[in-house]
Amino acid sequence: MQVTGREKWGSYGGFLFAAIGSAVGVGNIWRFPYVAGENGGGAFLGIYLVVVFTFGLSFMVLEFTLGRYYQTSVIVALQKIRKRFAWAGAAMVAVTFGVLSYYMAILGWILSYFAMYATGMAVSFEEYSQSWYPLLSFAVIAAVNYLIVRTGVRSGIEKVSKYGILLFVGIMVPLTAIGLTLPGAGEGVTFYLTPDATVFSDPQVWAAAFGQAFFSLSIGMGVLLTYGSYLGQKRPVVSSSLVIIGADLAVSFVAGLMIFSFVFSNDANPAEGTTLVFKVLPQVFSTIELGAVIAPLFFVLLLLAGITSSISMFQLPVSALEDSLGFSRRKAASIIGIAAFVAGLPSALSYSTVDLRVNGAAVLDVVNDALGDYGLPIVGAVFAIVATWFLDKKILTEQVNLYSRVKVPAGLISVARVAVPLLIVVTLLTQLVG
Ligand code: PHE
C-alpha cells in the first residue's frame, strides 16, 4: 500500500538512528539501572534479555509492519483494519500525549541542571524546585521539541536523532570509563551484576521487566508505527528491529555500569528511585575529582537521550492531526506544542512552591505511575489484539517477511498472536495484585 506524497526518511540509516534515538532515552540511564538494582541485579538482566528478544521483538516488528503497510499514523491505520477501532488509535494518541507532557517536564529539570553545572551555580533540588526555573526550562524544552518536529521528519527529526545519538555515544563511553576507575566502583559493579537467583520465580520481577521493555523500546504507544509509516523504501522490519533492540540494550547495560560506579564511589543509596539523578548523583559529583566537568557532561548526556525520545512522542499526535484531520504540519505542531505545555504544567510544578499533590503524592509521580503501569499496557494490549486478530493473518505473515532475507515462519506469528496480548494482560494483573 503505497501512498505518494507522504514524507519519507532521507535514508535507511537515518531511520535506524531515529528509532534508536526514540528507544534510547531517560529510561535507559535513569530508569533501567535502578529497576535492575531493585529486582535481582544480574538475574534481572537475564530475565530482561528474554523478555526483550521475545515479547519486545514481536511488538516492535508488529508496529513497524503496520506503519510500513498502511503508510499512515496510528488512528487511521487501526481504522483501516476496522472502522470501529479508531477509538483504540485515539486512546494510544492520548496516552502518548500524556507521557510526552511529563517526559518534557523531566527534561526541563535536566536542562536546568545542565545549565546550573555548566555555569557553576548548582543549588540543591529543593532550592531549585522552589524557583521559577523549572517553569522556564520546561517552556524551553517544549519550544525545542516544537521547532524540531515542525521542521519535518527528514530535516528535523532524522537529523537531530543522528547527530544526537552520535554525540551521546561520544560522551557516554568516556564518562563510563571515568566512573569505572573511581574508588568503590568495583562494589557498584558487583551490586549491579551479582545475580539473585530467587527472582527467576518472582512474577513481580517479570512484570517489572515487561514494564521496562515497553518503556525503553518505545513500544505500545504507536510511536514506532508512526516512524515505520515514513519508511518508503523497501526495508525489512525484523532485522531493523534487531539492530534497534541491540543498541537499546547495550546502552542500558553500560548505563548501569556508569551509574553504579558513581553511586558506590560515594557510598550513596543505589535504590533512591526517581530522584537518584537529581539528588544523589549531584552529591557524588560534588565530591569527586573532575566532578565539575563530569556533572554538566552527564546532564548533556541525559538531555540528548531525552530529546531524541520526546520528539518521537511529539511526532505521534502531530501525524495523527495531519492524517486524521488534514492539518498542516506547522499547525499540528503548534497545537500539540501548546497543549503539551499546558498539560505538563502540573507535572513541572509538582515539586515546586505550588507543590501539587494527589493523595499526598507529587503529580508527576502520579501521572508517571498511572500511565506507565496501567495506561501503556492497556493501550498496548488493545493494539496487539486489534493488529494480530483483526488484520488478515495472510497479510500479516506476508508483510512481516516482506523485503526480509530472514523469514519468520507463519507458525511463530500464530504463537505471537496469542502470546503477546496474553503476556500484557498477565503483566497488568500482576501489577494490580502487587
Ligand atoms: N524509550 C524512551 C526512553 O527509554 C521513552 C519513550 C517511550 C519514548 C515511548 C517514546 C515512546 O526513555
Side-chain angles (χ1 to χ4, degrees):
M1 214 173 275
Q2 200 77 7
V3 183
T4 45
R6 188 173 188 76
E7 213 185 336
K8 296 286 177 301
W9 298 109
S11 68
Y12 179 53
F15 156 72
L16 289 177
F17 270 115
I20 292 172
S22 173
V24 170
V26 177
N28 298 63
I29 304 174
W30 156 75
R31 199 172 189 275
F32 178 81
Y34 86 77
V35 173
E38 280 171 0
N39 288 289
F44 180 81
L45 246 102
I47 293 175
Y48 188 63
L49 271 175
V50 173
V51 168
V52 157
F53 281 110
T54 52
F55 165 81
L57 179 64
S58 322
F59 209 111
M60 190 179 282
V61 165
L62 194 62
E63 283 207 32
F64 282 145
T65 301
L66 259 76
R68 189 188 57 186
Y69 179 56
Y70 288 118
Q71 303 267 307
T72 184
S73 53
V74 65
I75 300 183
V76 182
L78 294 187
Q79 225 169 358
K80 284 188 173 171
I81 296 180
R82 293 280 193 286
K83 263 226 143 48
R84 63 171 186 274
F85 290 136
W87 64 266
M92 291 172 88
V93 175
V95 169
T96 308
F97 177 81
V99 175
L100 171 70
S101 71
Y102 82 78
Y103 200 87
M104 289 199 306
I106 297 178
L107 291 185
W109 295 351
I110 294 172
L111 174 64
S112 297
Y113 267 68
F114 163 67
M116 290 197 295
Y117 281 105
T119 55
M121 301 194 310
V123 295
S124 71
F125 183 72
E126 286 73 20
E127 205 177 321
Y128 160 71
S129 48
Q130 305 288 317
S131 70
W132 284 101
Y133 287 111
L135 206 59
L136 178 67
S137 44
F138 177 47
V140 172
I141 291 289
V144 167
N145 274 276
Y146 158 76
L147 286 173
I148 296 171
V149 171
R150 193 188 83 150
T151 309
V153 169
R154 196 183 181 136
S155 28
I157 295 178
E158 182 173 338
K159 273 224 177 84
V160 170
S161 302
K162 187 153 123 195
Y163 293 114
I165 286 297
L166 290 174
L167 195 58
F168 172 88
V169 174
I171 297 176
M172 183 164 196
V173 172
L175 270 192
T176 310
I178 294 175
L180 286 172
T181 56
L182 292 173
E187 284 150 61
V189 176
T190 309
F191 170 81
Y192 174 39
L193 296 179
T194 304
D196 166 6
T198 58
V199 300
F200 283 112
S201 55
D202 183 348
Q204 297 290 343
V205 174
W206 285 86
F210 274 98
Q212 177 62 21
F214 247 113
F215 190 77
S216 188
L217 298 177
S218 301
I219 53 182
M221 316 201 309
V223 165
L224 296 183
L225 182 151
T226 310
Y227 271 16
S229 75
Y230 304 110
L231 259 182
Q233 309 91 336
K234 306 189 164 171
R235 299 302 181 189
V237 294
V238 179
S239 44
S240 304
S241 302
L242 284 170
V243 171
I244 297 160
I245 291 177
D248 190 64
L249 266 176
V251 172
S252 289
F253 178 73
V254 174
L257 292 177
M258 176 177 74
I259 297 284
F260 286 119
S261 310
F262 280 135
V263 170
F264 275 75
S265 75
N266 196 27
D267 287 328
N269 176 13
E272 181 70 28
T274 343
T275 48
L276 180 76
V277 161
F278 299 103
K279 289 185 182 160
V280 179
L281 284 179
Q283 260 171 35
V284 177
F285 295 144
S286 67
T287 58
I288 55 178
E289 212 187 337
L290 288 177
V293 186
I294 294 175
L297 278 179
F298 176 76
F299 286 104
V300 174
L301 188 73
L302 272 173
L303 207 54
L304 286 169
I307 287 186
T308 53
S309 296
S310 62
I311 52 178
S312 72
M313 285 186 247
F314 198 115
Q315 176 64 23
L316 182 134
V318 166
S319 70
L321 285 179
E322 288 178 297
D323 297 330
S324 294
L325 301 178
F327 285 11
S328 70
R329 186 172 64 220
R330 278 168 175 243
K331 185 171 166 191
S334 311
I335 293 175
I336 297 305
I338 294 169
F341 178 72
V342 173
L345 278 178
S347 295
L349 296 177
S350 42
Y351 291 96
S352 68
T353 329
V354 189
D355 199 19
L356 295 171
R357 284 172 185 277
V358 179
N359 289 333
V363 170
L364 184 121
D365 294 329
V366 175
V367 181
N368 180 10
D369 290 345
L371 290 174
D373 293 349
Y374 304 107
L376 232 169
I378 291 173
V379 296
V382 172
F383 171 81
I385 291 167
V386 170
T388 58
W389 285 85
F390 293 88
L391 177 65
D392 189 323
K393 203 177 137 207
K394 264 235 253 1
I395 299 181
L396 189 62
T397 314
E398 182 192 299
Q399 285 297 319
V400 164
N401 287 317
L402 200 62
Y403 314 127
S404 182
R405 252 179 280 161
V406 206
K407 307 267 186 236
V408 182
L412 210 61
I413 293 180
S414 303
V415 175
R417 284 176 82 196
V418 183
V420 172
L422 193 72
L423 280 174
I424 306 178
V425 174
V426 170
T427 308
L428 235 139
L429 293 178
T430 314
Q431 247 146 12
L432 268 177
V433 173

